[in-house]
Amino acid sequence: MDTIFALASAQGKAGVAVIRLSGPQAHSAANALAGGDLPSRGMTVRTLRASDGSRLDEGLVLTFQAPSSFTGEDVAELQIHGSSASVNAVLRCLSAMDDLRLAEPGEFTRRALENGKMDLAQVEGLADLIDAETEAQRKQAQTILAGALGALAEGWRRDLIRAASLLEAVIDFADEEVPTDVTPEVRMLISGVMDELTREAQGVRIAERIRAGFEVAIVGLPNAGKSTLLNVLAGRDAAITSEYAGTTRDVIEVRMDLAGLPVTLLDTAGLRETDDHVENLGIELARKRAEAADLRVFLTDAPDSLGVSRQMDDIHVYPKSDLRNDTHGGISGKTGQGIDQLIYNISRVLSERTTSHGIATRERHRIAMDKAAGSLAAAQAVLESGPDMYDIAAEELRTAIRSLESLVGRIDVETLLDEIFASFCLGK
């Protein structure tokens, strides 16, 4: 096993930079830089020197002994001054040492997975935590990183193993009289897991939106003030505004944090009939994006005339209230009237939707749970045919167990790993 190293903190000037090493030569490499006598586990302030004795920097050296480390291997961390020159000097010295190489993206975390320090769901949680921009994303990622999904899957797996063992006990003693009918207990175990799988799978879509972000489309007629409204909500000039209808031809996106939720606002082209080919392309795109959005804000007097389906939670406001005598239900990007209420309404609708989210956060999780639920439904169906079909029911239970094991990375996930770890930085 190679010993790997990389800068674990952000690139660029900082107060402190962290260089991480992991593998069988991690401690000896740290000793070579720090002058020897480092503890197998602990921290000490040392002057780091190159092989010719020249001073590199002074820093804190932390050592962790396998298996009590992030990767499960011997690990050393060098916390030095965060100038690019200091970091590059230490990295050059490490590169020159035998049996050391620069880590690949995500390789430290990959080793933690391979050494049983994390399951695949926790790895995904760590990736989400690194990318988290809002409070809701942080909380969701922390739940996965803490192992909640793995614990849930292990509980389901334990119940299904119990159910399968009961059936196999009957199969093994088919020629003998079994004193107890195992069907009721097996049925109860299967039903309990199926109910939880169904509930968890249904919450994946909302959990995914928390992770990736909700889309809120602003739709209306040309020159209704959609771009002005977007700019006010964004707090900057994200879209070009003018008095001429049809200025917006493409969908303009602005990322925001609303009530701790990640939200992408979409400023769409004004919806109208036109002979302009390019504008028609923008209008068609606007309708498609609006239909696919999680929520729509109709900025118009007649929302049903725009050719975009209205959903139950969609928001309707009247445009340009600064030019109206009756300002009830209106909004103005110029004066700010109604802006706070609109933000509140968007936040309220999306926050209410998040109450139904579960622990699982990815489409991969949903697919694994749906496969497991399908196998359980098949097991449940043949179970009612009596002991002669127990062998088929037991095999369906084993198939369901394998689906749950793929959820946390025990089997059938090799093709996913390169894609997952490609999103990590070198020092993670």
Side-chain angles (χ1 to χ4, degrees):
M1 177 67 74
D2 293 339
T3 297
I4 56 175
F5 67 90
L7 176 65
S9 51
Q11 294 278 355
K13 184 169 65 175
V16 175
V18 178
I19 297 173
R20 175 180 288 167
L21 302 88
S22 181
Q25 304 302 319
H27 287 184
S28 60
N31 271 306
L33 291 176
D37 298 326
L38 290 173
S40 58
R41 182 178 182 84
M43 58 183 177
T44 181
V45 176
R46 293 291 181 89
T47 297
L48 306 183
R49 298 185 181 277
S51 57
D52 61 2
S54 61
R55 179 188 172 101
L56 296 170
D57 200 358
E58 183 176 54
L60 184 65
V61 182
L62 293 85
T63 48
F64 306 85
Q65 191 171 26
S68 300
S69 69
F70 173 72
T71 62
E73 304 172 336
D74 284 346
V75 169
E77 289 188 358
L78 312 175
Q79 299 187 8
I80 62 174
H81 294 98
S83 71
S84 297
S86 296
V87 170
N88 290 335
V90 173
L91 292 178
R92 281 196 301 271
C93 288
L94 292 172
S95 298
M97 294 183 183
D98 294 335
D99 301 322
L100 265 68
R101 64 171 175 83
L102 189 65
E104 298 174 357
E107 191 169 2
F108 289 94
T109 307
R110 187 163 188 156
R111 292 190 177 193
L113 174 67
E114 292 170 348
N115 292 326
K117 306 297 289 186
M118 308 174 74
D119 62 38
L120 184 59
Q122 287 177 293
V123 169
E124 291 169 327
L126 178 58
D128 291 343
L129 183 61
I130 292 171
D131 292 336
E133 298 175 337
T134 70
E135 182 66 5
Q137 289 175 322
R138 182 192 69 80
K139 289 180 177 179
Q140 184 182 70
Q142 285 285 6
T143 299
I144 299 295
L145 181 57
L149 183 57
L152 198 58
E154 183 57 33
W156 295 332
R157 179 177 177 273
R158 186 169 54 248
D159 286 348
L160 296 184
I161 289 174
R162 166 67 178 170
S165 66
L166 289 171
L167 295 180
E168 287 165 357
V170 176
I171 295 169
D172 290 342
F173 297 98
D175 296 333
E176 303 178 24
E177 184 177 346
V178 179
T180 303
D181 181 8
V182 302
T183 303
E185 184 177 354
V186 172
R187 186 188 297 118
M188 180 189 69
L189 290 168
I190 293 176
S191 296
V193 173
M194 281 188 67
D195 289 345
E196 292 187 22
L197 281 172
T198 301
R199 183 168 59 252
E200 193 63 37
Q202 288 174 343
V204 168
R205 183 181 179 279
I206 293 299
E208 271 197 307
R209 302 317 289 166
I210 294 175
R211 184 172 63 84
F214 292 92
E215 286 194 349
V216 177
I218 304 172
V219 294
L221 294 170
N223 208 21
K226 299 183 299 299
S227 297
T228 301
L229 176 59
L230 178 80
N231 290 341
V232 171
L233 293 173
R236 61 185 176 87
D237 291 335
I240 297 173
T241 62
S242 79
E243 69 274 19
Y244 300 107
T247 300
T248 301
R249 300 294 182 94
D250 204 351
V251 176
I252 299 172
E253 303 182 8
V254 174
R255 186 85 164 181
M256 295 182 64
D257 180 338
L258 290 181
L261 296 172
V263 175
T264 298
L265 290 174
L266 308 178
D267 175 23
T268 60
L271 304 181
R272 66 172 179 177
E273 298 297 327
T274 177
D275 294 329
D276 188 314
H277 175 68
V278 175
E279 187 179 354
N280 262 328
L281 293 176
I283 291 171
E284 182 62 25
L285 176 61
R287 286 199 170 101
K288 287 181 179 179
R289 292 297 298 273
E291 293 282 3
D294 299 288
L295 182 68
R296 284 147 293 279
V297 175
F298 286 89
L299 189 64
T300 177
D301 289 329
D304 294 326
S305 66
L306 298 178
V308 176
S309 302
R310 289 180 68 188
Q311 305 299 321
M312 183 181 299
D313 291 333
D314 286 346
I315 298 169
H316 173 216
V317 290
Y318 296 100
K320 299 185 178 181
S321 64
D322 54 300
L323 302 179
R324 295 171 175 266
N325 293 324
D326 182 6
T327 60
H328 179 71
I331 195 168
S332 171
K334 288 187 176 181
T335 66
Q337 179 185 337
I339 296 295
D340 289 344
Q341 185 63 41
L342 176 62
I343 293 174
Y344 169 79
N345 289 337
I346 294 173
S347 302
R348 175 184 54 79
V349 170
L350 298 182
S351 295
E352 287 175 356
R353 292 185 187 180
T354 62
T355 59
S356 63
H357 82 87
I359 295 174
T361 60
R362 296 173 182 255
E363 182 67 5
R364 181 185 75 81
H365 302 161
R366 186 195 63 77
I367 291 172
M369 290 187 291
D370 282 349
K371 285 182 178 179
S375 297
L376 293 182
Q380 207 169 39
V382 299
L383 184 66
E384 304 306 321
S385 300
D388 290 343
M389 302 292 286
Y390 277 4
D391 55 338
I392 297 177
E395 181 56 34
E396 292 290 354
L397 289 176
R398 285 190 288 270
T399 301
I401 291 169
R402 287 193 291 271
S403 295
L404 295 178
E405 288 176 339
S406 72
L407 190 64
V408 292
R410 292 186 180 179
I411 60 170
D412 297 336
V413 294
E414 283 300 318
T415 55
L416 292 171
L417 296 183
D418 290 341
E419 178 182 348
I420 290 171
F421 289 116
S423 66
F424 281 71
C425 59
L426 290 180
K428 207 66 181 174

